[in-house]
Amino acid sequence: MPGSLKTEAVVLRTIRYGEADRVLHLYTPERGRVSAIAKGVRRAKSRFGGRLEPFFRLNLVLYQGKSDLMTDTSAETVAGHPRLREHAATIDGAARACHAVDRLFGDGEPHPGVYHLLANLLALLDREPQQATRANALAFRLKLLLAAGFAPQLAGCASCGEREHLVGFSGAAGGVVCGACEASSFVLEQEAHDFMVGALGRSLADAPEGSARALAQAERAILETLEHHAHLRLRPVGRTLAAAG
Ligand SMILES: [Zn+2]
């Protein structure tokens, strides 16, 4: 339906288009992910081209014509996150977060909680660059799983409900599993289990830490959950973050 949409948005990625245009992948609170074209913004005299970059949080006016692609007609900065752009680890953390949202929530279903989670992460990385750790990146992904409805079951065996002797994790079963149900699972030790419970239960700024071994197990649990339930492969959170952590 033709008309204008005023919305906040985070720029997830941008793609050069034609001579001077850019196509934007945006995440919005009420429309989920939308794509828009910004015309002429790669020219030097563009009024707002400099803001249409990944990790910017903006107030936009988008015009919806007949095509699926909206046209961006105005952009004001809510938060540009300049300090986030000064460190390789924070840029990497922000890029992986935006990529994960782009991949997991690309269907246009609105998830206001995902918008606020992403906005919080970008603000946190800008304010406290030392938070660009592997633990924090994994906590973010766990919260995304929760928002997407794929949170792994952690309170009891995902196959039989047993609450003790939880020794493994199975992406196929959808969570932790007990000794009797461990077929097709991998070892998930208590520390990794505690990390996942803590990450889901606390704010990002208070995300728990974990040993490299526990974080590797938690990461595998997240990746297997995504593969089984969302048929999605995300890049691992990576070396830059591991080094920062
Ligand atoms: Zn069981």
Side-chain angles (χ1 to χ4, degrees):
M1 205 176 287
S4 284
L5 169 70
K6 277 190 183 177
T7 183
E8 256 203 36
V10 169
V11 181
L12 300 177
R13 68 185 287 227
T14 70
I15 303 151
R16 291 174 179 207
Y17 188 81
E19 290 277 297
D21 305 342
R22 250 187 233 290
V23 171
L24 313 169
H25 283 192
L26 304 165
Y27 203 77
T28 69
E30 275 112 38
R31 294 276 192 103
R33 204 194 81 184
V34 300
S35 298
I37 189 163
K39 291 185 175 157
V41 290
R42 282 161 48 218
R43 296 202 176 96
K45 63 177 184 179
S46 165
R47 284 173 296 127
F48 52 79
R51 285 166 221 162
L52 302 179
E53 295 288 339
F55 322 144
F56 266 83
R57 181 176 179 179
L58 303 167
N59 273 319
L60 299 175
V61 179
L62 304 173
Y63 177 74
Q64 174 87 71
K66 284 176 187 159
S67 95
D68 283 345
L69 205 57
M70 298 200 263
T71 303
D72 181 21
T73 57
S74 159
E76 286 173 4
T77 303
V78 176
H81 306 119
R83 279 166 303 176
L84 182 164
R85 293 162 207 280
E86 293 171 5
H87 309 276
T90 44
I91 291 170
D92 196 49
R96 285 170 198 277
C98 286
H99 178 76
V101 169
D102 199 19
R103 293 285 307 277
L104 254 178
F105 300 98
D107 58 0
E109 285 273 307
H111 293 277
V114 170
Y115 181 79
H116 294 296
L117 180 64
L118 181 62
N120 279 346
L121 178 76
L122 296 174
L124 179 67
L125 293 177
D126 191 57
R127 194 173 67 236
E128 301 176 37
Q130 72 278 12
Q131 293 265 17
T133 63
R134 188 176 181 199
N136 197 284
L138 292 174
F140 177 80
R141 285 194 174 181
L142 277 165
K143 288 171 179 292
L144 277 186
L145 287 182
L146 181 66
F150 302 131
Q153 183 169 333
L154 298 174
C157 176
S159 290
C160 74
E162 167 68 46
R163 297 200 156 242
E164 307 284 324
H165 313 297
L166 302 168
V167 295
F169 187 95
S170 165
V176 291
V177 289
C178 73
C181 300
E182 67 186 325
S184 91
S185 72
F186 66 88
V187 172
L188 188 93
E189 291 168 325
Q190 190 65 43
E191 189 194 351
H193 190 172
D194 291 344
F195 170 81
M196 293 172 77
V197 172
L200 282 169
R202 299 194 218 163
S203 74
L204 273 180
D206 294 323
E209 282 298 324
S211 68
R213 181 184 172 95
L215 295 181
Q217 291 175 0
E219 174 151 31
R220 186 168 170 194
I222 293 166
L223 292 176
E224 291 203 2
T225 300
L226 279 170
E227 277 181 39
H228 278 277
H229 300 284
H231 307 291
L232 192 64
R233 265 177 183 278
L234 287 180
R235 294 190 291 252
V237 291
R239 274 198 201 145
T240 321
L241 292 174

